[in-house]
Amino acid sequence: MDARALAALAANPGCRRRALLDGAGVDKGALASALGAPANFGQSQFAHQRGNSFEARVKADGGADLVRLLHERLRDGSEPPGPGAVATPDLTAPGPQGRTARTALALREATEAGRWALLDHPMVSLDVAGSPAFLEPDAVVVHPDGSWTVVEIKSFPLVDGSADPAKVGAAARQSAVYTLALERVASMIGRPPEDGGDTADAVGAVDVETASAAKTAEAAGAAETAGPVAPAEAAAPADPAGTAAREGPVTPAEAASRARVRHHVLLVCPKDFSNLPTAEMVDVRKQLAVTRRQLDRLTRIEEIAAALPEGTTFDLRLTDDGRTPTRPVEELTAAVEAVDAAYAPECLSTCELAAHCRTRSRAAGRVEALGRGVRGELGGLTTMDAVLTAAMERPTDDTPTGDPTVDALRRAAALRAEALASRPEAVACR
C-alpha cells in the first residue's frame, strides 16, 4: 500500500474488497484487465518523467532552496537558513524495515541537533487493518525548534496561489496519511528502552512496533469526507509552545518533548505554467482527523480472509512470459465476488477495480451506483426496483405512509406524471 491507496481506502472504509486486495499485495490493475474491465486512469509516462524532473529541480543544491521556500511560507519572523545550514542525512538501509528504522533514527538525530534538516524520500510505516504499510513521503523537513513538516511535491500548477481544488484535496489527504505515520515516530523518540540500552535502541524499536496499530486520537465528529482545501486559504501554523526561540543541540529527553509533526504541510507545485517551483501551506487537520477515524473503522485483514471460502485465491495463473493470464474469467470473478465491495462513483478515480464493481453494481440494481448522497437519501431502499416500486405503487387517496422517503418518491412521481401529461408530445422515460 502507498499513501494514495491508503487515502482512497480511508475515504471508503466499508470496501472489504479493496482492503483485502491491497493488504495481500494483489495487482488490482492486472486483475481488472483479466476480468475484462481494465482501469481507465493512471499517469502517463510523460507526466511521470515531468514530475520526476520537477522534483529533482525542487530538491537541487541539497534541498537548500526547498527549505528556504518553506521558511518564506512560514512567516514566523525567524532567521532564514544560511549556506550549508541544511543537513541531508543518509537514509540508505536494506529493506523497508531497515529504511523505516533508519528514518526514525535520522529524525531523532536531526531533532536533537536543533538545526534545519531535509530527509529526502524517508520511509515510515502505518498499521492498516492489521497489515503494515510502508510509506515514502517526497520529503520531511526538520525545523530548528524540533518540529517536522511534510513536503508534498506535485506537477500540477499553482496559478496565482491557487490550484484545482480536487487535486489539492487529493494531495491533502495523501499528506495526512504521511502525517499520521510520522506522529507514530514522534511518539517513539526519547522512549526509554526496556532492556537498559541507549536511546538509539529505543528509536530502533520503531521498526519492530510499526506492525502494531497506532492508537487514534479523538474522532472528528462532524467531518465525514476529506474535502479539498485551497492552498491560498491555509495559514502558517503558530508556535504556541514558543519552541522557535530555543534552537541548537538538545538532550535526548528534550528532543522527545520537542518532536512534533506540524499539521500544515508544504505543497510545492510549478508556478503558473512554468517549471519554477512555488509553494503554499495547506492545513490538513480535517483530513488527518478523518483518516484516523476511517482507518480505525477498517475490519482487520485476517477477519476478512477468515470469512472467505476455502481455497479462495486471486492468482491469475500467468504464462511463462508473466503477462498472459490463463485462469478462466468465471472462476476469477467468483473469487472476487466472494469479498464484499462498497462501490461509489468516486471509486472510478481511485481504484483499478472500479469499472468491474460498477458493472456488477448496475447489474444488481444497487442504488450505490448513483452515489453516496443518493444512497443516504433513500434510506432502507437499497435497489432500483425497490425505489421504483415505492414511487409508482401509491394509493388512490394519497394517504401518507409515514415513511418520509416513500412519501417524497410518490410526490415526485406524481409531479413527473403531471408534467408529462401537460406535454403529449414528450417521450416518456423508460
Side-chain angles (χ1 to χ4, degrees):
M1 295 185 185
D2 58 13
R4 185 173 301 176
L6 284 182
L9 184 59
N12 189 10
C15 187
R16 295 190 168 199
R17 183 176 297 169
R18 173 154 196 166
L20 179 66
L21 295 177
D22 283 345
V26 175
D27 185 346
K28 297 194 300 297
L31 180 59
S33 298
L35 291 170
N40 56 359
F41 74 95
Q43 193 176 46
S44 67
Q45 184 177 0
F46 172 76
H48 186 70
Q49 292 175 349
R50 182 182 62 183
N52 288 341
S53 175
F54 177 70
E55 181 176 341
R57 178 167 187 168
V58 171
K59 297 178 180 178
D61 299 327
D65 292 338
L66 176 58
V67 175
R68 279 195 293 268
L69 194 60
L70 171 60
H71 180 267
E72 291 174 1
R73 295 301 180 268
L74 290 176
R75 303 181 183 92
D76 56 2
S78 62
E79 290 294 326
V86 181
T88 54
D90 182 16
L91 303 179
T92 304
Q97 291 88 355
R99 290 185 59 195
T100 301
R102 182 67 188 90
T103 295
L105 185 60
L107 286 168
R108 191 210 67 171
E109 293 173 345
T111 303
E112 291 179 2
R115 56 177 296 188
W116 290 100
L118 174 68
L119 278 66
D120 186 6
H121 283 287
M123 181 159 284
V124 291
S125 66
L126 188 65
D127 180 89
V128 182
S131 177
F134 295 96
L135 313 171
E136 189 176 0
D138 291 331
V140 173
V141 175
V142 179
H143 299 247
D145 66 356
S147 60
W148 309 342
T149 294
V150 174
V151 179
E152 187 67 16
I153 302 174
K154 296 296 184 181
S155 58
F156 58 81
L158 276 173
V159 181
D160 295 331
S162 62
D164 183 347
K167 294 181 179 179
V168 175
R173 291 189 290 273
Q174 186 174 341
S175 299
V177 175
Y178 296 137
T179 302
L180 185 60
L182 281 168
E183 287 182 347
R184 172 64 174 167
V185 182
S187 69
M188 293 290 297
I189 288 184
R191 179 181 297 182
E194 297 179 358
D195 57 356
D198 59 17
T199 310
D201 296 331
V203 176
V206 174
D207 176 45
V208 178
E209 298 193 14
T210 49
S212 62
K215 298 300 182 182
T216 60
E218 64 276 3
E224 288 298 330
T225 57
V229 179
E233 297 175 356
D239 186 21
T243 54
R246 173 111 189 277
E247 299 180 1
V250 297
T251 64
E254 291 173 324
S257 63
R258 297 172 63 185
R260 61 184 176 89
V261 187
R262 295 188 178 221
H263 295 161
H264 287 71
V265 304
L266 184 71
L267 177 63
V268 183
C269 299
K271 183 178 181 180
D272 298 328
F273 298 100
S274 68
N275 201 35
L276 299 175
T278 186
E280 291 291 344
M281 303 299 295
V282 180
D283 187 347
V284 298
R285 283 176 292 184
K286 175 183 176 181
Q287 290 83 354
L288 184 61
V290 172
T291 301
R292 280 197 186 105
R293 179 166 58 90
Q294 300 291 59
L295 291 181
D296 190 50
R297 291 171 56 193
L298 291 176
T299 305
R300 295 183 66 85
I301 299 297
E302 58 265 28
E303 295 179 14
I304 302 175
L308 295 177
E310 186 70 23
T312 300
T313 176
F314 305 103
D315 184 13
L316 301 181
R317 299 173 190 166
L318 300 176
T319 56
D320 294 338
D321 60 3
R323 298 179 181 179
T324 306
T326 62
R327 190 174 181 185
V329 176
E330 296 78 10
E331 184 178 329
L332 189 59
T333 301
V336 172
E337 293 300 314
V339 191
D340 293 336
Y343 170 76
E346 294 86 350
C347 298
L348 292 172
S349 61
T350 59
C351 182
E352 294 85 346
L353 277 176
H356 170 79
C357 295
R358 178 181 60 180
T359 301
R360 305 293 291 187
S361 181
R362 287 178 174 177
R366 300 190 185 101
V367 296
E368 288 87 346
L370 301 177
R372 292 193 181 98
V374 176
R375 175 66 185 89
E377 292 288 341
L378 292 175
L381 303 175
T382 59
T383 64
M384 304 292 187
D385 290 340
V387 172
L388 294 176
T389 300
M392 305 307 295
E393 294 183 356
R394 58 184 184 275
T396 56
D397 56 357
D398 291 332
T399 304
T401 64
D403 187 334
T405 301
V406 175
D407 292 340
L409 287 170
R410 290 179 176 178
R411 177 58 179 163
L415 291 174
R416 177 178 176 274
E418 181 180 344
L420 290 176
S422 64
R423 295 184 59 191
E425 72 279 5
V427 178
C429 297
R430 294 190 297 272

